[in-house]
Amino acid sequence: RVSFMNNQKPQKPTLSGQRFKTRKRDEKERFDPTQFQDCIIQGLTETGTDLEAVAKFLDASGAKLDYRRYAETLFDILVAGGMLAPGGTLADDMTRTNVCVFAAQEDLETMQAFAQVFNKLIRRYKYLEKGFEDEVKKLLLFLKGFSESERNKLAMLTGILLANGTLNASILNSLYNENLVKEGVSAAFAVKLFKSWINEKDINAVAVSLRKVNMDNRLMELFPANKQSVEHFSKYFTEAGLKELSEYVRNQQTIGARKELQKELQEQMSRGDPFRDIILYVKEEMKKNNISEQTVVAIIWSSVMSTVEWNKKEELVAEQAIKHLKQYSPLLAAFTTQGQSELTLLLKIQEYCYDNIHFMKAFQKIVVLFYKAEVLSEEPILKCVFLEQMKKFVEWLKNAEEESESEAEEGD
């Protein structure tokens, strides 16, 4: 009986060594950056400046060429026309193409068309996303090696790609490089970048993207330490035609300062610091951060109200509130020197009492207390009462109008 093993055909001898060598040579050709570069450059030169044809060529080439391994080479060529040496200069011994961002016209329309090329390429080959992000971070660090026109084009392109979500705002980290900041390159680049970004979207969309990557409070770092003030930032970007960015940064600073003020105030109150020290601190912060008295009185009110564990029983909470607020009335009085501030405080008290149901009956008592303690004067109280009554009158008018309308319809 013949065993199963003997049924198998005898194996042919293999020339494994020889085959291995051949594969090595093939691999060398396939994984050779010079070869890869030549293929891309030749293809781009043949398509010419028709960017739709460029996008089609890149799409088709992905099946034949190793984009995964040579992402950096590919993006270097598309941006600069050839491979970049460290520092941002084009490598001398390499062939180049003029079908690239740096050789294109310096206008928004052209950069929008180039952005489409990158979008299509990255949508088609998702794995290029990370490589492209790394490429842009690198290009930003190389800014000093590029001409002013090349920088402008790159800034416009980056702004468009940030707007359409191809790039993440974290790439802006590269602009905080000390040398770029010191020589003013970062700020000048940021002007062009934000202009094209805001042009594609609006300042609110930009703000959302910045907030997502915790960049919303770092824009001042585009300037050297001695120039990191809201005033300097505001002047620079307003003069460059980016008033909305200046206002955004100013608001961010104010919001930051207000949060800081509230936090510090609550700490001072819980420590039981003397009111004169607290008042002095608050006044300095107001001056330093340009915070209005209305804003401050609202912050003090919410800080005062949050330092207490309030009783859940309605009949007891009013008594507790009066006792607590009597103690803090000198602090509040220091920041109701204007009618507008008094009105702000009154509205805040009203809001608080409406939002916290136990306080509904305490509202009147609090207002009387503040009137006696000279925190509030007669005029804003009357104004508030008058507005309240007018509100009822306006509602009555509206209802009367609706009734007469429906009566008229019934008559028809």
Side-chain angles (χ1 to χ4, degrees), residues 73-90:
T73 307
L74 174 66
F75 291 129
D76 271 4
I77 296 167
L78 290 174
V79 172
M83 270 163 76
L84 290 167
T89 52
L90 275 170

Side-chain angles (χ1 to χ4, degrees), residues 236-252:
Y236 185 91
F237 281 95
T238 303
E239 282 173 4
L242 277 166
K243 195 167 189 293
E244 55 266 76
L245 190 69
S246 304
E247 282 168 4
Y248 167 70
V249 166
R250 196 177 279 281
N251 286 340
Q252 283 302 106

Side-chain angles (χ1 to χ4, degrees), residues 192-206:
K192 293 275 180 194
L193 180 146
F194 279 108
K195 269 191 179 167
S196 74
W197 191 353
I198 293 168
N199 177 62
E200 294 288 310
K201 291 279 191 179
D202 61 24
I203 190 67
N204 298 326
V206 171

Side-chain angles (χ1 to χ4, degrees), residues 20 64 71 78-79 122 140 146 185 210 263 265 304 347 384 391:
F20 180 69
K64 300 188 288 259
L78 290 174
V79 172
I122 290 160
L140 297 189
F146 306 143
V185 174
L210 292 172
K263 195 171 139 222
L265 251 177
V304 166
L347 291 169
C384 233
K391 201 159 94 181

Side-chain angles (χ1 to χ4, degrees), residues 33-48 73-74 76-85 88-103 145-146 150:
T34 319
Q35 191 102 359
F36 178 86
Q37 172 160 339
D38 289 344
C39 289
I40 295 290
I41 285 178
Q42 190 186 340
L44 290 175
T45 310
E46 282 167 16
T47 58
T73 307
L74 174 66
D76 271 4
I77 296 167
L78 290 174
V79 172
M83 270 163 76
L84 290 167
T89 52
L90 275 170
D92 284 336
D93 52 343
M94 301 283 185
T95 45
R96 299 174 191 183
T97 176
N98 282 331
V99 185
C100 65
V101 173
F102 283 178
F146 306 143
E150 289 168 347

Side-chain angles (χ1 to χ4, degrees), residues 171-385:
I171 54 122
L172 298 175
N173 263 315
S174 295
L175 289 179
Y176 300 135
N177 174 280
E178 202 183 331
N179 293 322
L180 297 176
V181 169
K182 202 167 65 189
E183 296 191 24
V185 174
S186 294
F189 186 86
V191 166
K192 293 275 180 194
L193 180 146
F194 279 108
K195 269 191 179 167
S196 74
W197 191 353
I198 293 168
N199 177 62
E200 294 288 310
K201 291 279 191 179
D202 61 24
I203 190 67
N204 298 326
V206 171
V208 170
S209 299
L210 292 172
R211 206 174 304 125
K212 273 184 191 162
V213 292
N214 297 321
M215 286 272 176
D216 46 338
N217 291 316
R218 290 194 61 196
L219 293 179
M220 299 254 250
E221 293 171 43
L222 291 165
F223 297 102
N226 61 342
K227 288 181 177 169
Q228 282 178 22
S229 71
V230 177
E231 275 54 53
H232 180 78
F233 187 98
S234 195
K235 188 172 185 293
Y236 185 91
F237 281 95
T238 303
E239 282 173 4
L242 277 166
K243 195 167 189 293
E244 55 266 76
L245 190 69
S246 304
E247 282 168 4
Y248 167 70
V249 166
R250 196 177 279 281
N251 286 340
Q252 283 302 106
Q253 281 297 106
T254 312
I255 292 164
R258 287 199 299 239
K259 280 182 184 163
E260 205 49 50
L261 175 62
Q262 182 145 10
K263 195 171 139 222
E264 182 56 32
L265 251 177
Q266 282 167 345
E267 280 173 19
Q268 289 175 344
M269 285 175 188
S270 59
R271 283 199 306 262
D273 290 6
F275 285 161
R276 65 171 185 277
D277 295 353
I278 297 178
I279 292 166
L280 200 66
Y281 162 74
V282 173
K283 286 190 171 169
E284 276 172 10
E285 287 300 301
M286 281 170 75
K287 199 172 167 187
K288 191 169 83 185
N289 295 299
N290 202 16
I291 307 175
S292 69
E293 194 180 74
Q294 289 95 284
T295 304
V296 163
V297 84
I299 289 172
I300 294 174
W301 166 259
S302 66
S303 300
V304 166
M305 296 308 277
S306 66
T307 54
V308 178
E309 193 66 52
W310 294 107
N311 204 303
K312 292 281 182 280
K313 291 182 178 163
E314 199 173 352
E315 61 276 12
L316 297 175
V317 87
E319 198 181 317
Q320 189 190 5
I322 296 304
K323 198 175 165 191
H324 179 65
L325 290 170
K326 195 173 190 175
Q327 185 193 338
Y328 280 98
S329 54
L331 181 59
L332 284 156
F335 298 98
T336 50
T337 64
Q338 303 160 7
Q340 200 56 46
S341 313
E342 292 183 53
L343 212 60
T344 301
L345 178 59
L346 254 172
L347 291 169
K348 284 287 163 196
I349 300 166
Q350 193 177 14
E351 263 172 42
Y352 192 90
C353 292
Y354 275 131
D355 289 344
N356 300 278
I357 199 89
H358 307 311
F359 278 84
M360 284 301 274
K361 287 182 180 167
F363 176 66
Q364 206 170 335
K365 289 178 179 170
I366 295 170
V367 174
V368 171
L369 165 75
F370 282 164
Y371 175 69
K372 286 180 177 169
E374 294 183 355
V375 176
L376 297 171
S377 56
E378 196 175 322
E379 200 182 327
I381 297 172
L382 288 174
K383 199 181 247 182
C384 233
V385 171

